[in-house]
Amino acid sequence: MKLLRLCLDQIGVGRPLPWNVYNDAGQLVLRQGHIVRDEAQREGLILRGAYIDHQVHGEATDTQDFHAVREHAATLWQDVRTRAETLLLEPGEAQPFRRGLKVIGGHIEFAVVHHLDESLFELLHREGRNTPAVSHVIQAAFLANMVAIRLGWPNAMVRSTVHAALTMNLASLQRQNALHERARPLDAAERTDMAEHGAQGRLLLEMLGVEDRDWLQAVAHHHPPEDGRSLAAWRHMAGDMACLLHHVDLYLAKVSSRAYRGALAPDVAARQLFHRGGGAANPFASALIKEVGLFPPGASVRLANGELAVVLRRGELAHLPEVCAVQGADGVALPQPVRRRTCEPAYKVVAAVPRGVITLPAEATALH
């Protein structure tokens, strides 16, 4: 049995494990479905070494029963992260790669239908710390799936879009992981070099047996050329799928921090994307903002009474999300998260705040 070591982000506290866990000798430590009771147990597992069966995890067939994994958003996304880190960082042979990507894409499609708000919460609040570049393409694939459905694309095109999003940075994931913590942005020469990763990714995918021309085109052209051409001209050259990937990629970059800059609040990022992208005339920016909203699940917001809260779910109206307060107006963490009714004047959402401003207590994760 070939073992794959887990990292801290892949084991959730209070959530059932989606796989059997072994020690480095291949001995069973915890069975699938076991609930890790607290942070101490989770950290102990990581320190001692927690492993899963690489074959069971990375080479699943379409006939596998994913019911236990997909029952909860948290376990589904743990499984997606672990599979994606194995598959995308070390693609391996063509057939297992395509099969593994199909499993990951299936998980994402299921999450959009059955765990939409919970998945937005998970993706915004549980970004992988060890492999941020992989976390980014997972987030992109999920948002692209949502937006493609809103745009009315046929199922086959939606599925190709998800696969394209997962693989759009295939040629540069290792480099992007390293750049994530760098204290300065790319210089002109580095930007030119990075601009080639789409074309390089297409070549890698062709070597891995991908024949879907729309998928390959989207990966090759998901970054628009810096020549000042209009959205319409670029769209005609690159195609709708590439345009959608670019807008999702750009939004996620805005709401994520880097070592040299902070993250934008989701409402600020959405407004920038909308206005700088041509406003209502841009169908991709418009559809993305309508799907995600100004205050998506997982976002941190400030309430009228000064409290800081975390969005649990989108509300029937965009400005009335379901939230729980986690920090008082005095800056002190509340003893327990408290649900607030944002329709009441005292608890009205007055602004979103950037990711990382508040730390979500473990108790709040169970509320969504």
Side-chain angles (χ1 to χ4, degrees), residues 7-23:
C7 60
L8 191 68
D9 299 329
Q10 295 164 335
I11 300 176
V13 174
R15 303 289 186 182
L17 291 170
W19 355 253
N20 289 334
V21 175
Y22 303 87
N23 61 19

Side-chain angles (χ1 to χ4, degrees), residues 4 13 65 92 140 147 166 210 235 241 244 257 292 336 342 351 357:
L4 173 68
V13 174
D65 179 10
V147 179
L166 287 167
V210 174
R235 183 179 179 182
M241 199 180 295
L244 174 55
S257 64
V292 176
Q336 295 288 332
T342 54
V357 171

Side-chain angles (χ1 to χ4, degrees), residues 136-163:
H136 177 80
V137 296
I138 292 170
Q139 293 167 343
F142 181 75
L143 293 187
N145 192 320
M146 291 173 60
V147 179
I149 291 172
R150 174 174 278 274
L151 290 169
W153 293 359
N155 290 339
M157 188 173 178
V158 173
R159 191 164 294 117
S160 291
T161 303
V162 170
H163 291 163

